[in-house]
Amino acid sequence: MEFSSKLIEKAVNEMSQLPGIGKRTALRLVLHLLKQPKEQTGFLAQAIVTMREDIKYCESCHNISDSILCEICANKNRNHQIICIVEDIRDVMAIENTGQFRGIYHVLGGKISPIDGVGPSQLNITTLVEKVKSGSVNEIIFALSSTMEGDTTNFYIYKQIGESEIIISTIARGISVGDELEFADEVTLGRSILHRVPFEKAFKNN
Amino acid sequence: MEFSSKLIEKAVNEMSQLPGIGKRTALRLVLHLLKQPKEQTGFLAQAIVTMREDIKYCESCHNISDSILCEICANKNRNHQIICIVEDIRDVMAIENTGQFRGIYHVLGGKISPIDGVGPSQLNITTLVEKVKSGSVNEIIFALSSTMEGDTTNFYIYKQIGESEIIISTIARGISVGDELEFADEVTLGRSILHRVPFEKAFKNN
């Protein structure tokens, strides 16, 4: 792609570094900004720079936060004895949106993936193990991706925690709500039969 | 969508102002920036602000440019007697990429569209008419969208230019190269028959 302006070219190149944004989309965004008032571009630039510079991570659960403790960890009405372990801050938002969980979270910051060069030391595992061993936790729930990497991470943490008397569970795997049975894969279907739940319990929280 | 950080929320809101970017995509972009080095966000912000502040428009053709005249207008090897009239700077890039045009351009900055509140006075029409009336132009080519608004704009400019002795043409409308005939709409197919070209000429520049 040839640009008649070096300024445009530079802006497009920077924009196209973002995931899912190619050169063409980047150009469309840049030309859109050109048509808007100058302040708008200023606001956008300011917002992302401030966000990147001033963002903090919760000291307890490693969720993003504006203060030392995130709103969830600082909330005394939540059950601090149940920890839900997630990969990413996006997962916290997703689970919060369900409204089904009133405990606290622990954000690992990824999952163990040798292919991507991510080992246990790059994840927030030590602080989790310490928290569990301090005895203040009753239950931990693994809510990681249902993939090889997710399972590896689950297993690693499970081994690290060792023999403690807390309840360890993982989120249920089964048929998605609204899915037709005939299109479900065998492994999922098999698991959903293996981990069947009492009928009355299944519809309690629906 | 609930955010655990006001900074994130603000960045997402600003990002989602961009066309084609919803809240979810904006969040994905923001979380991506959080994982990259701080400088990267700085570079992006800097690039878009500098672009927006310092961008110039070519005094002759209104294309975007880093100097008073754009590279195309400043190029003496191009034929300054043929002007291709386009809506947008993106169209200049598209036509340049074909490598089939060696004249210069005139960017209108839009098309006449009463629904969107765009009248002739908001477009760069006066400078075009002056240029044509000054006598330095041999031919103008209309390369606007093949829509109601495009045709209205074509017709308006045509009337403004009045009776001059220059050649006035529009780009050919017909079946897209690579298209199956059975899927073409009737109007396009009709026009392609009406404006058929001599066989030898059709394949000359292929």
Side-chain angles (χ1 to χ4, degrees):
Chain A
M1 213 185 279
E2 279 194 37
F3 299 93
S4 57
S5 155
K6 288 265 173 290
L7 294 166
I8 296 281
E9 187 170 358
K10 210 173 159 195
V12 167
N13 283 342
E14 286 294 336
M15 278 274 196
S16 60
Q17 305 272 317
L18 295 171
I21 303 217
K23 292 253 169 171
R24 265 171 189 275
T25 311
L27 179 63
R28 197 158 53 92
L29 299 181
V30 165
L31 294 182
H32 169 84
L33 286 177
L34 272 182
K35 284 189 183 169
Q36 304 303 117
K38 280 189 187 178
E39 301 82 54
Q40 179 126 9
T41 311
F43 291 149
L44 170 61
Q46 190 62 46
I48 58 175
V49 167
T50 319
M51 179 273 297
R52 189 64 188 86
E53 295 285 335
D54 296 351
I55 200 79
K56 291 185 189 70
Y57 291 89
C58 173
E59 278 194 353
S60 173
C61 74
H62 307 284
N63 188 8
I64 40 173
S65 169
D66 292 343
S67 44
I68 299 172
L69 278 185
C70 75
E71 285 178 15
I72 297 170
C73 287
N75 186 343
K76 285 183 183 162
N77 289 323
R78 297 188 74 122
N79 186 347
H80 285 239
Q81 298 188 305
I82 305 182
I83 298 182
C84 180
I85 302 168
V86 293
E87 281 164 41
D88 208 69
I89 35 190
R90 239 180 307 178
D91 304 327
V92 174
M93 295 176 65
I95 297 177
E96 280 298 286
N97 282 341
T98 68
Q100 298 289 344
F101 183 65
R102 296 296 300 163
I104 58 170
Y105 295 90
H106 187 92
V107 181
L108 295 177
K111 50 198 166 186
I112 297 172
S113 172
I115 292 177
D116 302 317
V118 181
S121 58
Q122 275 121 300
L123 306 177
N124 305 316
I125 292 179
T126 330
T127 46
L128 173 67
V129 174
E130 277 167 15
K131 226 187 283 179
V132 172
K133 293 209 166 154
S134 74
S136 62
V137 181
N138 264 348
E139 181 177 353
I140 60 172
I141 304 171
F142 286 110
L144 305 195
S145 301
S146 183
T147 58
M148 188 71 126
E149 288 87 5
D151 289 345
T152 309
T153 315
N154 281 344
F155 194 67
Y156 181 85
I157 296 173
Y158 178 78
K159 281 281 168 195
Q160 288 285 308
I161 289 170
E163 285 173 21
S164 44
E165 295 196 344
I166 61 168
I167 306 164
I168 302 180
S169 56
T170 73
I171 51 168
R173 271 98 195 239
I175 307 297
S176 294
V177 176
D179 259 14
E180 304 268 1
L181 218 65
E182 60 176 320
F183 302 122
D185 66 290
E186 284 170 26
V187 182
T188 304
L189 195 52
R191 282 219 196 180
S192 74
I193 291 172
L194 214 60
H195 301 136
R196 61 194 177 277
V197 289
F199 189 79
E200 279 169 27
K201 207 175 151 194
F203 292 93
K204 220 177 76 179
N205 278 323
N206 213 3
Chain B
M1 213 185 278
E2 279 194 39
F3 298 94
S4 57
S5 155
K6 288 265 172 289
L7 293 166
I8 295 281
E9 187 171 0
K10 210 173 159 196
V12 166
N13 284 342
E14 285 295 336
M15 277 275 195
S16 60
Q17 306 271 317
L18 295 171
I21 302 217
K23 291 253 170 171
R24 264 171 190 276
T25 311
L27 179 63
R28 197 158 53 92
L29 300 181
V30 165
L31 294 182
H32 170 83
L33 286 177
L34 272 182
K35 284 190 184 168
Q36 304 303 116
K38 281 189 185 177
E39 301 83 54
Q40 179 126 7
T41 312
F43 290 150
L44 169 61
Q46 190 62 45
I48 59 175
V49 167
T50 319
M51 179 273 297
R52 189 66 187 85
E53 295 285 335
D54 296 351
I55 201 80
K56 291 186 191 69
Y57 291 89
C58 172
E59 278 194 353
S60 174
C61 74
H62 308 283
N63 188 7
I64 39 172
S65 169
D66 292 343
S67 44
I68 301 172
L69 279 184
C70 75
E71 284 177 16
I72 297 170
C73 287
N75 185 345
K76 285 182 182 162
N77 289 325
R78 298 188 73 121
N79 186 347
H80 286 238
Q81 298 188 307
I82 305 182
I83 297 182
C84 180
I85 302 168
V86 293
E87 283 165 39
D88 206 71
I89 36 190
R90 237 180 307 179
D91 304 327
V92 174
M93 293 176 67
I95 297 177
E96 280 298 287
N97 282 342
T98 69
Q100 297 288 344
F101 183 66
R102 295 298 298 163
I104 57 170
Y105 295 90
H106 187 91
V107 181
L108 295 176
K111 50 199 165 185
I112 298 172
S113 172
I115 291 177
D116 302 315
V118 181
S121 59
Q122 275 120 300
L123 305 177
N124 305 316
I125 293 179
T126 329
T127 47
L128 173 67
V129 174
E130 277 166 14
K131 225 187 283 178
V132 171
K133 293 207 165 154
S134 74
S136 62
V137 181
N138 263 348
E139 181 177 354
I140 59 173
I141 303 169
F142 286 109
L144 305 194
S145 302
S146 183
T147 58
M148 188 73 125
E149 288 87 5
D151 288 346
T152 309
T153 315
N154 281 343
F155 196 66
Y156 180 87
I157 297 173
Y158 179 77
K159 281 283 171 196
Q160 288 286 308
I161 289 170
E163 285 173 19
S164 46
E165 294 197 345
I166 61 167
I167 306 162
I168 302 180
S169 56
T170 72
I171 51 168
R173 272 99 195 238
I175 308 296
S176 294
V177 176
D179 260 13
E180 303 268 0
L181 218 65
E182 59 177 319
F183 302 121
D185 65 291
E186 286 171 24
V187 182
T188 304
L189 195 53
R191 282 218 196 181
S192 75
I193 291 171
L194 214 61
H195 301 138
R196 60 193 178 277
V197 290
F199 190 80
E200 279 169 26
K201 207 174 151 193
F203 292 93
K204 219 176 78 181
N205 278 325
N206 215 5

